[in-house]
Amino acid sequence: MSTISTDSSDPAFVLSRPQRTVSASAGGTIFRSAHDAVTALRSGRISHIVGALPFTPGAPTALWAPDSVRVTEAPHRRAPGTRLPHFAIDAAVPAPDEHQRRVAGAVELLADPGHPLRKVVLARAIRAVSPQPVRATDILDLMVASDPLSNGFLVDLSAAGGRYLGRHLVGSSPEILVRRTGTEILSHPLAGSARRITDDPAADRAAADALLTSTKDHAEHRYVVDQVAAVLSDRCAEVDTSAPELTATPAMWHLGTPISATVPLAGPSALELAVALHPTPAVCGTPTGAAARLIAELEGERGFYAGAVGWCDADGNGEWMVSIRCAELSADGTTLLAHAGGGIVAASDPAAELAETTGKFQRILAPLGIADLPVSVG
């Protein structure tokens, strides 16, 4: 562990949710591992941990004990004078046809009864550039303002060191990895998606109804629910899993299942549960090891995309969101790398999976003025 500092007056961490906003400064002690952060919280030496967990367990985290924390019982509000950043698409990584080939290859593996893989989440990225430096807080303001529930997050990734110095992760995630409030635990995994048709209410409703009755999407969703419930059952009591329901975001319909549980006051903290749950099959696959190996082979290092962002206090309370619908802003503020992925099962169609990622990209790109994403960009 070490210490970091910043001259910026902007917050280094913000998590905006419908019921509250937690924001924090940089400075203080940083932790390159979740284990060290948990130990420090348990010791009582610090009052809060904030930051981000990477996709790959064991990779350096961006967690720290901030010098100051502010909790507001309301969503984050857009600052006066927030300017609209001007970004233009620079490249797709990989090109759309390559992503479809990757999906097709994964489907072949999944269709092989002798292969252990049952589901894998494959992602692609869009790189956008701006002629002028952009503040991460301006992007956060736009993410929150364009979300009906005012969801949004910002994390200065400098605590992870190395190439992350000065970089920020910004987004608007709809997915609760875990929230602890006193003895109450909630996880709300999302898996199985359909693009919304917002200019045609009847077609939009039809897309939602098709998702709700899709055998393929329910199978994909079940892998996630079963694993989350199993992890919580090992650490919590009274685990209750309800039926899947529709969850709407501005660009997508999702299948979601609220899962509740209880813990003693001295039981596992929100951070400890987040570490135990991550990565779920919603962002990795089933079984975890086989899916993670294929992701590493095809995509390389994901960094903090599909990790988790959140906070935890010394009493164990806190909230961690899955870091999806997000982008990494370069240290100079001119390059944005946005990611989107989808769960692949044996019944997946490569063209449909490409279309799903295109829809998911709109959550981060549309507020930046990139309304249409051409599938031919490469």
Side-chain angles (χ1 to χ4, degrees):
M1 66 180 66
S2 58
T3 59
I4 55 176
S5 61
T6 178
D7 295 329
S8 173
S9 60
D10 289 337
F13 171 88
V14 179
L15 179 61
S16 175
R17 298 283 287 128
Q19 72 280 9
R20 74 167 56 86
T21 298
V22 176
S23 58
S25 66
T29 303
I30 68 172
F31 303 92
R32 295 287 169 78
S33 79
H35 176 269
D36 290 345
V38 166
T39 300
L41 272 177
R42 286 282 184 181
S43 73
R45 299 194 309 270
I46 58 176
S47 64
H48 288 81
I49 290 285
V50 301
L53 301 173
F55 171 73
T56 303
T61 65
L63 299 173
W64 70 97
D67 288 336
S68 63
V69 176
R70 180 183 180 188
V71 180
T72 305
E73 300 304 321
H76 173 78
R77 297 303 179 195
R78 184 171 178 171
T82 298
R83 65 187 181 93
L84 176 65
H86 296 285
F87 281 94
I89 293 177
D90 178 56
V93 186
D97 57 350
E98 174 59 22
H99 182 72
Q100 290 191 80
R101 282 193 291 270
R102 290 178 179 182
V103 172
V107 168
E108 287 188 18
L109 292 178
L110 291 157
D112 180 358
H115 198 282
L117 197 63
R118 293 294 171 262
K119 172 186 174 179
V120 63
V121 179
L122 296 183
R124 65 190 186 103
I126 295 293
R127 185 169 62 240
V129 296
S130 172
Q132 300 294 330
V134 174
R135 295 168 65 221
T137 51
D138 287 345
I139 299 176
L140 172 70
D141 285 354
L142 294 171
M143 294 296 104
V144 175
S146 59
D147 187 81
L149 296 178
S150 299
N151 286 319
F153 63 84
L154 176 155
V155 183
D156 184 338
L157 298 175
S158 296
R163 70 182 183 90
Y164 293 107
L165 290 173
R167 297 190 183 189
H168 290 78
L169 190 71
V170 189
S172 176
S173 175
E175 185 169 359
I176 303 171
L177 179 61
V178 65
R179 179 171 71 219
R180 175 177 163 174
T181 307
T183 61
E184 298 179 358
I185 302 297
L186 174 68
S187 180
H188 194 175
L190 306 179
S193 306
R195 188 170 184 177
R196 298 196 63 183
I197 309 169
T198 54
D199 59 352
D200 185 337
D204 191 44
R205 186 68 248 174
D209 291 342
L211 175 63
L212 198 55
T213 58
S214 167
T215 301
K216 175 260 183 187
D217 287 287
H218 274 273
E220 177 188 338
H221 186 74
R222 192 76 245 168
Y223 288 127
V224 184
V225 172
D226 287 348
Q227 182 167 314
V228 170
V231 171
L232 292 180
S233 294
D234 286 343
R235 295 160 176 82
C236 308
E238 302 175 14
V239 178
D240 180 62
T241 302
S242 57
E245 58 189 27
L246 285 171
T247 298
T249 69
M252 304 294 295
W253 289 105
H254 299 284
L255 291 178
T257 296
I259 303 173
S260 62
T262 61
V263 291
L265 287 175
S269 67
L271 176 56
E272 290 170 86
L273 291 173
V275 172
L277 288 165
H278 174 70
T280 74
V283 292
C284 183
T286 302
T288 303
R293 286 190 291 273
L294 182 59
I295 290 168
E297 175 186 334
L298 295 178
E299 299 179 23
E301 178 56 53
R302 279 185 174 177
F304 286 88
Y305 163 68
V309 297
W311 63 275
C312 186
D313 67 20
D315 293 327
N317 300 310
E319 186 165 33
W320 294 82
M321 306 294 289
V322 182
S323 51
I324 52 176
R325 311 300 178 270
C326 62
E328 185 178 300
L329 182 66
S330 62
D332 66 4
T334 64
T335 303
L336 200 67
L337 190 67
H339 289 83
I344 314 302
V345 293
S348 292
D349 173 69
E353 295 298 337
L354 178 68
E356 180 177 322
T357 59
T358 301
K360 290 175 176 176
F361 274 125
Q362 292 309 306
R363 181 65 201 99
I364 187 77
L365 297 179
L368 302 177
I370 304 174
D372 296 307
L373 182 63
V375 296
S376 61
V377 67

